[in-house]
Coordinates of all heavy atoms in Angstrom, one line a residue:
M25 N -15.6 -92.1 -38.2 CA -15.3 -93.1 -37.2 C -16.5 -93.5 -36.4 O -17.3 -92.7 -36.1 CB -14.4 -92.4 -36.2 CG -13.0 -92.7 -36.0 SD -12.0 -94.0 -35.7 CE -11.5 -94.7 -37.2
A26 N -16.7 -94.8 -36.2 CA -17.8 -95.3 -35.4 C -17.3 -96.4 -34.5 O -16.5 -97.2 -34.9 CB -18.9 -95.8 -36.4
W27 N -17.8 -96.3 -33.2 CA -17.4 -97.3 -32.2 C -18.6 -97.9 -31.5 O -19.6 -97.3 -31.5 CB -16.5 -96.6 -31.2 CG -15.3 -95.9 -31.7 CD1 -14.2 -96.5 -32.2 CD2 -15.1 -94.5 -31.8 NE1 -13.3 -95.6 -32.6 CE2 -13.8 -94.3 -32.3 CE3 -15.8 -93.4 -31.5 CZ2 -13.2 -93.1 -32.6 CZ3 -15.2 -92.1 -31.7 CH2 -14.0 -92.0 -32.2
R28 N -18.4 -99.1 -31.0 CA -19.3 -99.7 -30.2 C -19.1 -99.3 -28.8 O -18.1 -98.7 -28.4 CB -19.2 -101.2 -30.3 CG -19.6 -101.7 -31.8 CD -19.5 -103.1 -32.0 NE -20.4 -103.8 -31.2 CZ -20.5 -105.1 -31.2 NH1 -19.8 -105.9 -31.9 NH2 -21.4 -105.7 -30.4
P29 N -20.1 -99.6 -27.9 CA -20.0 -99.1 -26.5 C -18.7 -99.4 -25.8 O -18.1 -98.6 -25.1 CB -21.2 -99.7 -25.8 CG -22.2 -99.9 -26.9 CD -21.4 -100.2 -28.1
R30 N -18.2 -100.6 -25.9 CA -17.0 -101.1 -25.3 C -15.8 -100.2 -25.8 O -14.9 -99.8 -25.1 CB -16.7 -102.6 -25.5 CG -15.3 -103.1 -25.2 CD -14.8 -102.9 -23.8 NE -15.7 -103.4 -22.8 CZ -15.7 -102.9 -21.5 NH1 -14.9 -102.0 -21.1 NH2 -16.6 -103.5 -20.6
Q31 N -15.7 -100.0 -27.1 CA -14.7 -99.3 -27.7 C -14.7 -97.8 -27.2 O -13.6 -97.2 -26.9 CB -14.8 -99.3 -29.2 CG -14.5 -100.7 -29.8 CD -15.0 -100.8 -31.3 OE1 -16.0 -100.3 -31.7 NE2 -14.1 -101.5 -32.0
L32 N -15.9 -97.2 -27.2 CA -16.0 -95.9 -26.7 C -15.5 -95.8 -25.3 O -14.7 -94.8 -24.9 CB -17.5 -95.4 -26.8 CG -17.7 -94.0 -26.2 CD1 -17.2 -92.9 -27.2 CD2 -19.2 -93.8 -26.0
A33 N -15.9 -96.7 -24.4 CA -15.5 -96.7 -23.0 C -14.0 -96.8 -22.9 O -13.4 -96.1 -22.1 CB -16.2 -97.8 -22.2
D34 N -13.4 -97.7 -23.7 CA -12.0 -97.9 -23.6 C -11.2 -96.6 -24.1 O -10.2 -96.2 -23.4 CB -11.6 -99.1 -24.5 CG -12.0 -100.4 -23.9 OD1 -12.3 -100.5 -22.7 OD2 -12.0 -101.4 -24.7
L35 N -11.7 -96.0 -25.1 CA -11.0 -94.8 -25.6 C -11.1 -93.7 -24.6 O -10.2 -92.9 -24.5 CB -11.7 -94.3 -26.9 CG -11.3 -95.2 -28.2 CD1 -12.3 -94.8 -29.3 CD2 -9.9 -95.0 -28.6
A36 N -12.2 -93.6 -23.9 CA -12.5 -92.5 -22.9 C -11.9 -92.8 -21.5 O -11.8 -92.0 -20.7 CB -13.9 -92.2 -22.8
G37 N -11.4 -94.1 -21.4 CA -10.9 -94.5 -20.1 C -11.9 -94.6 -19.0 O -11.7 -94.4 -17.8
T38 N -13.1 -95.1 -19.4 CA -14.1 -95.3 -18.4 C -14.7 -96.7 -18.7 O -14.1 -97.5 -19.3 CB -15.2 -94.2 -18.5 OG1 -16.1 -94.3 -17.4 CG2 -15.9 -94.2 -19.8
T39 N -15.9 -97.0 -18.1 CA -16.5 -98.3 -18.2 C -17.8 -98.2 -19.1 O -18.4 -97.1 -19.2 CB -16.9 -98.9 -16.9 OG1 -17.9 -98.0 -16.2 CG2 -15.7 -99.0 -16.0
V40 N -18.2 -99.3 -19.6 CA -19.5 -99.4 -20.3 C -20.6 -99.0 -19.4 O -21.6 -98.3 -19.8 CB -19.7 -100.8 -20.9 CG1 -21.1 -100.9 -21.6 CG2 -18.6 -101.1 -22.0
G41 N -20.6 -99.4 -18.1 CA -21.6 -99.1 -17.2 C -21.7 -97.6 -17.0 O -22.8 -97.0 -16.8
A42 N -20.6 -96.9 -16.9 CA -20.6 -95.4 -16.8 C -21.3 -94.8 -18.0 O -22.1 -93.9 -17.9 CB -19.2 -94.9 -16.6
V43 N -20.9 -95.3 -19.2 CA -21.6 -94.8 -20.4 C -23.1 -95.0 -20.4 O -23.8 -94.1 -20.7 CB -20.9 -95.4 -21.7 CG1 -21.7 -95.0 -23.0 CG2 -19.5 -95.1 -21.8
R44 N -23.5 -96.1 -20.0 CA -25.0 -96.4 -19.8 C -25.6 -95.4 -18.9 O -26.7 -94.9 -19.1 CB -25.2 -97.8 -19.4 CG -25.0 -98.9 -20.4 CD -25.4 -100.2 -19.9 NE -24.9 -101.3 -20.8 CZ -24.1 -102.3 -20.4 NH1 -23.8 -102.4 -19.1 NH2 -23.7 -103.1 -21.2
R45 N -24.9 -95.2 -17.7 CA -25.4 -94.3 -16.7 C -25.5 -92.9 -17.3 O -26.5 -92.2 -17.0 CB -24.5 -94.3 -15.5 CG -25.0 -93.4 -14.4 CD -26.3 -93.9 -13.8 NE -26.6 -93.0 -12.7 CZ -27.8 -92.9 -12.2 NH1 -28.8 -93.6 -12.7 NH2 -28.1 -92.0 -11.3
Y46 N -24.6 -92.4 -18.1 CA -24.6 -91.1 -18.7 C -25.9 -91.0 -19.6 O -26.5 -89.9 -19.7 CB -23.4 -90.8 -19.5 CG -22.1 -90.8 -18.7 CD1 -20.9 -91.1 -19.3 CD2 -22.1 -90.5 -17.4 CE1 -19.7 -91.1 -18.6 CE2 -20.9 -90.5 -16.7 CZ -19.7 -90.8 -17.3 OH -18.5 -90.8 -16.6
H47 N -26.3 -92.1 -20.2 CA -27.5 -92.1 -21.0 C -28.7 -92.0 -20.1 O -29.6 -91.2 -20.4 CB -27.6 -93.4 -21.8 CG -26.7 -93.5 -23.0 ND1 -26.7 -92.6 -24.1 CD2 -25.8 -94.4 -23.3 CE1 -25.8 -93.0 -24.9 NE2 -25.2 -94.0 -24.5
D48 N -28.7 -92.8 -19.0 CA -29.8 -92.8 -18.1 C -30.1 -91.5 -17.5 O -31.3 -91.1 -17.3 CB -29.6 -93.8 -17.0 CG -29.6 -95.3 -17.5 OD1 -30.1 -95.5 -18.7 OD2 -29.2 -96.2 -16.8
V49 N -29.1 -90.7 -17.1 CA -29.3 -89.4 -16.4 C -29.4 -88.3 -17.4 O -29.5 -87.1 -17.0 CB -28.2 -89.2 -15.4 CG1 -28.3 -90.2 -14.3 CG2 -26.8 -89.1 -15.9
G50 N -29.2 -88.5 -18.7 CA -29.4 -87.4 -19.7 C -28.1 -86.7 -20.0 O -28.2 -85.6 -20.6
L51 N -27.0 -87.2 -19.6 CA -25.7 -86.5 -19.9 C -25.2 -86.8 -21.3 O -24.5 -86.0 -21.9 CB -24.6 -86.9 -18.9 CG -24.8 -86.4 -17.5 CD1 -23.7 -87.0 -16.6 CD2 -24.8 -84.9 -17.4
L52 N -25.6 -87.9 -21.9 CA -25.2 -88.4 -23.2 C -26.4 -88.8 -24.0 O -27.1 -89.7 -23.5 CB -24.2 -89.5 -23.0 CG -23.5 -90.0 -24.3 CD1 -22.6 -89.0 -24.9 CD2 -22.6 -91.3 -23.9
E53 N -26.5 -88.3 -25.2 CA -27.7 -88.7 -26.0 C -27.4 -90.0 -26.6 O -26.3 -90.4 -26.9 CB -28.0 -87.6 -27.1 CG -26.9 -87.3 -28.0 CD -27.2 -86.1 -28.9 OE1 -27.5 -85.1 -28.4 OE2 -27.0 -86.3 -30.1
E54 N -28.5 -90.7 -26.9 CA -28.4 -92.0 -27.5 C -27.9 -91.9 -28.9 O -28.3 -91.0 -29.7 CB -29.8 -92.7 -27.6 CG -30.3 -93.2 -26.2 CD -29.6 -94.4 -25.7 OE1 -29.2 -95.2 -26.5 OE2 -29.5 -94.6 -24.5
P55 N -27.0 -92.8 -29.3 CA -26.4 -92.7 -30.7 C -27.3 -93.5 -31.6 O -28.2 -94.2 -31.2 CB -25.1 -93.5 -30.5 CG -25.4 -94.5 -29.5 CD -26.3 -93.8 -28.5
P56 N -27.1 -93.3 -32.9 CA -27.9 -94.0 -33.9 C -27.5 -95.5 -33.8 O -26.4 -95.8 -33.3 CB -27.5 -93.4 -35.2 CG -26.3 -92.7 -35.0 CD -26.2 -92.3 -33.5
R57 N -28.3 -96.4 -34.4 CA -28.0 -97.8 -34.4 C -27.8 -98.3 -35.8 O -28.3 -97.8 -36.7 CB -29.2 -98.6 -33.7 CG -29.3 -98.3 -32.3 CD -30.4 -99.1 -31.6 NE -30.5 -98.8 -30.2 CZ -30.0 -99.5 -29.2 NH1 -29.3 -100.6 -29.6 NH2 -30.2 -99.2 -28.0
R58 N -26.9 -99.3 -35.8 CA -26.6 -99.9 -37.1 C -27.8 -100.8 -37.5 O -28.7 -101.0 -36.7 CB -25.4 -100.7 -37.0 CG -24.1 -99.9 -36.7 CD -22.9 -100.8 -36.7 NE -21.8 -99.9 -36.3 CZ -20.6 -100.4 -36.1 NH1 -20.4 -101.7 -36.1 NH2 -19.6 -99.6 -35.8
A59 N -27.8 -101.4 -38.7 CA -28.8 -102.2 -39.2 C -29.0 -103.5 -38.3 O -30.1 -104.0 -38.1 CB -28.5 -102.7 -40.6
N60 N -27.9 -103.9 -37.6 CA -27.9 -105.1 -36.7 C -28.4 -104.7 -35.3 O -28.4 -105.5 -34.4 CB -26.6 -105.8 -36.7 CG -25.5 -104.9 -36.2 OD1 -25.7 -103.8 -35.7 ND2 -24.3 -105.5 -36.3
G61 N -28.7 -103.4 -35.1 CA -29.2 -103.0 -33.8 C -28.1 -102.5 -32.8 O -28.4 -102.0 -31.7
H62 N -26.8 -102.6 -33.2 CA -25.7 -102.2 -32.3 C -25.7 -100.6 -32.3 O -25.8 -100.0 -33.4 CB -24.4 -102.7 -32.8 CG -24.3 -104.2 -32.5 ND1 -23.6 -104.7 -31.5 CD2 -24.8 -105.3 -33.2 CE1 -23.7 -106.1 -31.6 NE2 -24.4 -106.4 -32.6
K63 N -25.3 -100.1 -31.2 CA -25.1 -98.6 -31.1 C -23.9 -98.2 -31.8 O -22.9 -99.0 -31.8 CB -25.0 -98.2 -29.6 CG -26.3 -98.3 -28.9 CD -26.1 -97.9 -27.4 CE -27.4 -98.1 -26.7 NZ -27.3 -97.8 -25.3
Q64 N -23.9 -97.1 -32.5 CA -22.8 -96.6 -33.2 C -22.4 -95.2 -32.7 O -23.0 -94.2 -33.1 CB -23.2 -96.5 -34.7 CG -22.1 -96.1 -35.6 CD -22.6 -96.2 -37.1 OE1 -23.3 -97.0 -37.5 NE2 -22.1 -95.2 -37.9
Y65 N -21.4 -95.1 -31.9 CA -20.9 -93.9 -31.3 C -19.9 -93.2 -32.3 O -19.1 -93.8 -32.9 CB -20.2 -94.1 -30.0 CG -21.2 -94.6 -28.9 CD1 -21.3 -95.9 -28.7 CD2 -21.9 -93.6 -28.1 CE1 -22.2 -96.3 -27.7 CE2 -22.7 -94.1 -27.1 CZ -22.9 -95.4 -26.9 OH -23.7 -95.8 -25.9
G66 N -20.0 -91.9 -32.3 CA -19.1 -91.1 -33.2 C -18.2 -90.2 -32.3 O -18.1 -90.3 -31.1
V67 N -17.4 -89.4 -33.0 CA -16.5 -88.5 -32.4 C -17.1 -87.6 -31.4 O -16.6 -87.4 -30.3 CB -15.7 -87.7 -33.4 CG1 -14.7 -86.7 -32.8 CG2 -14.9 -88.7 -34.3
A68 N -18.3 -87.1 -31.7 CA -19.0 -86.1 -30.8 C -19.3 -86.8 -29.5 O -19.2 -86.2 -28.4 CB -20.3 -85.6 -31.4
H69 N -19.7 -88.1 -29.5 CA -20.0 -88.9 -28.3 C -18.7 -89.1 -27.5 O -18.7 -88.9 -26.3 CB -20.6 -90.3 -28.7 CG -21.9 -90.2 -29.3 ND1 -22.1 -90.3 -30.6 CD2 -23.1 -89.9 -28.8 CE1 -23.4 -90.2 -30.9 NE2 -24.0 -90.0 -29.8
L70 N -17.6 -89.4 -28.1 CA -16.3 -89.5 -27.4 C -16.0 -88.2 -26.7 O -15.6 -88.2 -25.6 CB -15.2 -90.0 -28.4 CG -13.8 -90.1 -27.8 CD1 -13.8 -91.1 -26.7 CD2 -12.8 -90.4 -28.9
V71 N -16.1 -87.1 -27.4 CA -15.7 -85.8 -26.8 C -16.6 -85.5 -25.6 O -16.1 -85.1 -24.6 CB -15.8 -84.7 -27.9 CG1 -15.7 -83.3 -27.3 CG2 -14.8 -84.9 -29.0
R72 N -17.9 -85.8 -25.8 CA -18.8 -85.6 -24.6 C -18.5 -86.5 -23.4 O -18.4 -86.0 -22.3 CB -20.3 -85.9 -25.1 CG -21.3 -85.7 -24.0 CD -21.4 -84.2 -23.7 NE -22.4 -84.0 -22.7 CZ -22.4 -83.0 -21.8 NH1 -21.5 -82.0 -22.0 NH2 -23.3 -82.9 -20.9
V73 N -18.2 -87.7 -23.6 CA -17.8 -88.6 -22.5 C -16.5 -88.1 -21.9 O -16.4 -88.1 -20.7 CB -17.7 -90.1 -23.0 CG1 -17.1 -91.0 -21.9 CG2 -19.0 -90.6 -23.4
L74 N -15.5 -87.7 -22.7 CA -14.3 -87.2 -22.1 C -14.5 -85.9 -21.3 O -13.9 -85.8 -20.2 CB -13.3 -86.9 -23.3 CG -12.7 -88.1 -24.0 CD1 -11.9 -87.7 -25.2 CD2 -11.8 -88.9 -23.0
R75 N -15.4 -85.1 -21.7 CA -15.7 -83.9 -21.0 C -16.4 -84.2 -19.6 O -16.1 -83.6 -18.6 CB -16.6 -82.9 -21.8 CG -15.9 -82.2 -22.9 CD -16.8 -81.3 -23.6 NE -16.0 -80.6 -24.7 CZ -16.5 -80.0 -25.7 NH1 -17.8 -79.9 -25.8 NH2 -15.8 -79.4 -26.6
I76 N -17.4 -85.1 -19.7 CA -18.0 -85.6 -18.5 C -17.0 -86.2 -17.5 O -17.0 -85.8 -16.3 CB -19.1 -86.6 -18.8 CG1 -20.2 -86.0 -19.6 CG2 -19.7 -87.2 -17.5 CD1 -21.2 -87.0 -20.2
K77 N -16.2 -87.0 -18.0 CA -15.1 -87.7 -17.2 C -14.2 -86.6 -16.6 O -13.8 -86.7 -15.4 CB -14.4 -88.7 -18.0 CG -13.4 -89.6 -17.2 CD -12.9 -90.7 -18.0 CE -11.9 -91.5 -17.2 NZ -10.9 -90.9 -16.5
R78 N -13.8 -85.7 -17.4 CA -12.8 -84.6 -16.9 C -13.5 -83.8 -15.8 O -12.8 -83.5 -14.8 CB -12.5 -83.7 -18.1 CG -11.6 -82.6 -17.7 CD -10.2 -83.0 -17.4 NE -9.4 -81.9 -17.2 CZ -8.3 -81.8 -16.4 NH1 -8.0 -82.9 -15.7 NH2 -7.7 -80.7 -16.2
R79 N -14.7 -83.4 -16.0 CA -15.4 -82.7 -14.9 C -15.5 -83.5 -13.6 O -15.3 -83.0 -12.5 CB -16.7 -82.2 -15.4 CG -16.6 -81.1 -16.4 CD -17.9 -80.4 -16.7 NE -18.4 -79.7 -15.6 CZ -19.5 -78.9 -15.7 NH1 -20.1 -78.8 -16.8 NH2 -19.9 -78.3 -14.6
A80 N -15.8 -84.8 -13.8 CA -15.9 -85.6 -12.6 C -14.5 -85.8 -11.9 O -14.4 -85.7 -10.7 CB -16.4 -87.0 -13.0
D81 N -13.5 -85.9 -12.7 CA -12.1 -86.0 -12.2 C -11.7 -84.7 -11.4 O -10.9 -84.7 -10.5 CB -11.1 -86.3 -13.3 CG -11.2 -87.7 -13.8 OD1 -11.9 -88.5 -13.2 OD2 -10.6 -87.9 -14.9
L82 N -12.2 -83.6 -11.9 CA -11.9 -82.3 -11.2 C -12.7 -82.0 -10.0 O -12.6 -81.0 -9.3 CB -12.1 -81.1 -12.2 CG -11.1 -81.1 -13.4 CD1 -11.5 -80.0 -14.4 CD2 -9.7 -80.8 -12.8
G83 N -13.7 -82.9 -9.7 CA -14.4 -82.8 -8.5 C -15.8 -82.3 -8.6 O -16.5 -82.0 -7.6
D84 N -16.3 -82.2 -9.8 CA -17.7 -81.7 -10.0 C -18.6 -82.9 -9.7 O -18.7 -83.9 -10.5 CB -17.9 -81.3 -11.5 CG -19.3 -80.7 -11.7 OD1 -20.2 -80.9 -10.9 OD2 -19.5 -80.0 -12.8
Q85 N -19.3 -82.8 -8.6 CA -20.2 -83.9 -8.2 C -21.3 -84.2 -9.2 O -21.8 -85.4 -9.3 CB -20.8 -83.6 -6.8 CG -19.8 -83.5 -5.7 CD -19.0 -84.7 -5.4 OE1 -19.6 -85.8 -5.4 NE2 -17.8 -84.6 -5.2
G86 N -21.7 -83.2 -9.9 CA -22.8 -83.4 -10.9 C -22.4 -84.1 -12.2 O -23.2 -84.4 -13.0
A87 N -21.0 -84.2 -12.4 CA -20.6 -84.7 -13.7 C -20.3 -86.2 -13.6 O -20.2 -86.8 -14.7 CB -19.2 -84.0 -14.0
G88 N -20.3 -86.8 -12.5 CA -20.0 -88.2 -12.4 C -21.2 -89.1 -12.8 O -22.3 -88.6 -13.0
P89 N -21.0 -90.4 -12.9 CA -22.1 -91.2 -13.3 C -23.3 -91.3 -12.4 O -24.4 -91.7 -12.8 CB -21.4 -92.6 -13.4 CG -20.2 -92.5 -12.7 CD -19.8 -91.1 -12.7
R90 N -23.2 -90.8 -11.2 CA -24.3 -90.8 -10.2 C -24.9 -89.5 -10.0 O -25.9 -89.4 -9.4 CB -23.9 -91.4 -8.9 CG -23.4 -92.8 -9.0 CD -23.4 -93.5 -7.7 NE -22.8 -94.8 -7.8 CZ -23.5 -95.9 -8.2 NH1 -24.8 -95.8 -8.4 NH2 -22.9 -97.1 -8.2
G91 N -24.3 -88.4 -10.5 CA -24.8 -87.1 -10.2 C -25.2 -86.3 -11.4 O -25.1 -85.1 -11.5
G92 N -25.8 -86.9 -12.4 CA -26.2 -86.3 -13.6 C -27.3 -85.2 -13.5 O -27.5 -84.4 -14.4
H93 N -28.0 -85.2 -12.4 CA -29.1 -84.3 -12.3 C -28.6 -82.9 -12.2 O -29.3 -81.9 -12.5 CB -29.9 -84.6 -11.0 CG -29.1 -84.5 -9.7 ND1 -28.2 -85.5 -9.3 CD2 -28.9 -83.5 -8.8 CE1 -27.6 -85.1 -8.2 NE2 -28.0 -83.9 -7.9
R94 N -27.3 -82.6 -11.9 CA -26.7 -81.3 -11.8 C -26.0 -80.8 -13.1 O -25.8 -79.7 -13.2 CB -25.8 -81.2 -10.7 CG -26.4 -81.2 -9.3 CD -25.6 -80.8 -8.2 NE -24.3 -80.3 -8.7 CZ -23.2 -80.2 -7.9 NH1 -23.2 -80.7 -6.7 NH2 -22.1 -79.7 -8.4
L95 N -25.8 -81.7 -14.0 CA -25.0 -81.4 -15.2 C -25.8 -81.9 -16.4 O -25.8 -83.1 -16.7 CB -23.6 -82.0 -15.2 CG -22.8 -81.9 -16.4 CD1 -22.4 -80.4 -16.6 CD2 -21.5 -82.7 -16.3
R96 N -26.5 -81.0 -17.1 CA -27.2 -81.4 -18.3 C -26.5 -81.0 -19.5 O -25.6 -80.1 -19.4 CB -28.6 -80.8 -18.2 CG -29.5 -81.3 -17.1 CD -29.9 -82.7 -17.4 NE -30.8 -83.2 -16.3 CZ -30.6 -84.4 -15.8 NH1 -29.6 -85.1 -16.1 NH2 -31.4 -84.7 -14.8
R97 N -26.8 -81.5 -20.6 CA -26.1 -81.2 -21.8 C -26.1 -79.7 -22.2 O -25.0 -79.2 -22.6 CB -26.7 -82.0 -23.0 CG -26.0 -81.8 -24.3 CD -26.4 -82.9 -25.3 NE -25.5 -82.7 -26.4 CZ -25.9 -82.3 -27.6 NH1 -27.2 -81.9 -27.8 NH2 -25.1 -82.2 -28.6
H98 N -27.2 -79.0 -22.0 CA -27.2 -77.6 -22.4 C -27.2 -76.7 -21.2 O -27.6 -75.5 -21.4 CB -28.4 -77.4 -23.3 CG -28.4 -78.2 -24.5 ND1 -27.5 -77.9 -25.5 CD2 -29.1 -79.3 -25.0 CE1 -27.7 -78.8 -26.5 NE2 -28.6 -79.6 -26.2
A99 N -26.9 -77.2 -20.0 CA -26.9 -76.3 -18.9 C -25.8 -75.2 -19.0 O -24.7 -75.5 -19.2 CB -26.7 -77.1 -17.6
A100 N -26.2 -74.0 -18.8 CA -25.3 -72.9 -18.9 C -25.0 -72.4 -17.4 O -25.9 -72.1 -16.7 CB -25.8 -71.8 -19.7
R101 N -23.7 -72.5 -17.0 CA -23.3 -72.0 -15.7 C -22.3 -70.9 -15.9 O -21.4 -71.0 -16.7 CB -22.7 -73.1 -14.9 CG -23.5 -74.3 -14.6 CD -22.7 -75.3 -13.9 NE -23.2 -75.7 -12.7 CZ -22.6 -76.5 -11.8 NH1 -21.5 -77.0 -12.1 NH2 -23.2 -76.8 -10.7
P102 N -22.5 -69.8 -15.1 CA -21.4 -68.8 -15.1 C -20.1 -69.4 -14.6 O -20.1 -70.3 -13.8 CB -21.9 -67.7 -14.2 CG -23.1 -68.2 -13.5 CD -23.5 -69.5 -14.2
P103 N -19.0 -69.0 -15.2 CA -17.7 -69.5 -14.7 C -17.4 -69.1 -13.3 O -18.0 -68.1 -12.8 CB -16.7 -68.9 -15.7 CG -17.4 -67.8 -16.4 CD -18.9 -68.0 -16.3
T104 N -16.5 -69.8 -12.7 CA -16.2 -69.5 -11.3 C -14.7 -69.2 -11.2 O -13.9 -69.6 -12.1 CB -16.5 -70.7 -10.3 OG1 -15.8 -71.8 -10.8 CG2 -18.0 -70.9 -10.3
V105 N -14.3 -68.5 -10.2 CA -12.9 -68.2 -9.9 C -12.4 -69.1 -8.8 O -13.3 -69.8 -8.2 CB -12.7 -66.7 -9.5 CG1 -13.0 -65.8 -10.7 CG2 -13.5 -66.3 -8.4
P106 N -11.1 -69.3 -8.6 CA -10.6 -70.2 -7.6 C -11.3 -70.2 -6.2 O -11.5 -71.2 -5.6 CB -9.2 -69.9 -7.5 CG -8.8 -69.3 -8.8 CD -10.0 -68.6 -9.3
G107 N -11.8 -69.0 -5.8 CA -12.5 -68.9 -4.5 C -13.9 -69.5 -4.5 O -14.5 -69.5 -3.5
G108 N -14.4 -69.9 -5.7 CA -15.7 -70.4 -5.8 C -16.8 -69.4 -6.1 O -17.9 -69.7 -6.2
Q109 N -16.4 -68.1 -6.2 CA -17.3 -67.1 -6.5 C -17.7 -67.1 -8.0 O -16.8 -67.4 -8.8 CB -16.8 -65.7 -6.2 CG -16.4 -65.6 -4.7 CD -15.7 -64.3 -4.4 OE1 -15.2 -63.6 -5.4 NE2 -15.6 -63.9 -3.2
R110 N -18.9 -66.9 -8.3 CA -19.4 -66.9 -9.7 C -18.9 -65.6 -10.3 O -19.0 -64.5 -9.7 CB -20.9 -67.0 -9.8 CG -21.3 -68.3 -9.2 CD -22.3 -69.0 -10.1 NE -22.8 -70.2 -9.5 CZ -22.5 -71.4 -9.9 NH1 -21.7 -71.5 -10.9 NH2 -23.0 -72.4 -9.3
V111 N -18.5 -65.6 -11.6 CA -18.1 -64.5 -12.4 C -19.3 -64.0 -13.1 O -20.0 -64.7 -13.9 CB -17.0 -64.8 -13.4 CG1 -16.6 -63.6 -14.2 CG2 -15.8 -65.4 -12.6
R112 N -19.7 -62.7 -12.9 CA -20.9 -62.2 -13.5 C -20.4 -61.2 -14.7 O -19.4 -60.5 -14.5 CB -21.7 -61.3 -12.6 CG -22.1 -62.1 -11.4 CD -23.6 -62.3 -11.3 NE -24.0 -62.9 -10.1 CZ -24.5 -64.2 -10.1 NH1 -24.6 -64.8 -11.1 NH2 -24.8 -64.7 -8.9
P113 N -21.1 -61.2 -15.8 CA -20.7 -60.4 -16.9 C -20.8 -58.9 -16.5 O -21.7 -58.5 -15.7 CB -21.7 -60.7 -18.0 CG -22.6 -61.7 -17.5 CD -22.2 -62.0 -16.1
A114 N -20.0 -58.0 -17.0 CA -20.0 -56.6 -16.7 C -21.3 -56.0 -17.3 O -21.7 -56.4 -18.4 CB -18.8 -55.9 -17.3
P115 N -21.9 -55.1 -16.6 CA -23.1 -54.4 -17.1 C -22.7 -53.6 -18.3 O -21.7 -53.1 -18.4 CB -23.6 -53.6 -16.0 CG -22.5 -53.5 -15.0 CD -21.6 -54.6 -15.2
R116 N -23.7 -53.5 -19.2 CA -23.5 -52.7 -20.4 C -24.0 -51.3 -20.3 O -24.8 -51.0 -19.7 CB -24.1 -53.4 -21.6 CG -23.4 -54.7 -21.9 CD -24.1 -55.4 -23.1 NE -23.3 -56.6 -23.4 CZ -23.4 -57.2 -24.5 NH1 -24.2 -56.8 -25.4 NH2 -22.7 -58.3 -24.7

């Protein structure tokens, strides 16, 4: 499956501007281009945009289109519990 930017945004329930912003702040990698120069987004891009959008909807300030400096593609964060405390792995 391959989609153009408008189609990707529509499928994810967001805007083309938000998708562009995700590229600008490093949350979404640039897709390959077709021979005519159009971007060609795949399923992995759609999943990534849906995850970014979901985190933003849940209140993660770093996941929205303006706060990408806090959420990077490979950033590892320890999970949190409802009180906001970080969960640390048990010592071995």
Side-chain angles (χ1 to χ4, degrees):
M25 252 303 91
W27 301 290
R28 294 181 64 182
R30 165 59 54 204
Q31 295 167 318
L32 176 74
D34 289 344
L35 287 169
T38 189
T39 64
V40 174
V43 172
R44 285 188 196 123
R45 181 67 178 158
Y46 298 152
H47 287 300
D48 292 344
V49 298
L51 293 174
L52 184 65
E53 59 187 53
E54 287 286 331
R57 293 184 180 262
R58 296 180 183 176
N60 61 6
H62 291 257
K63 292 179 181 177
Q64 182 174 327
Y65 291 93
V67 174
H69 294 102
L70 175 61
V71 170
R72 181 69 184 153
V73 171
L74 289 171
R75 286 181 179 164
I76 294 167
K77 187 173 181 308
R78 176 72 174 149
R79 287 188 69 172
D81 290 346
L82 291 173
D84 185 347
Q85 297 294 321
R90 300 200 183 271
H93 61 281
R94 288 194 9 203
L95 175 67
R96 295 287 182 229
R97 183 165 187 252
H98 298 292
R101 293 175 127 184
T104 58
V105 293
Q109 299 172 346
R110 298 225 185 255
V111 177
R112 305 245 186 251
R116 293 183 176 193

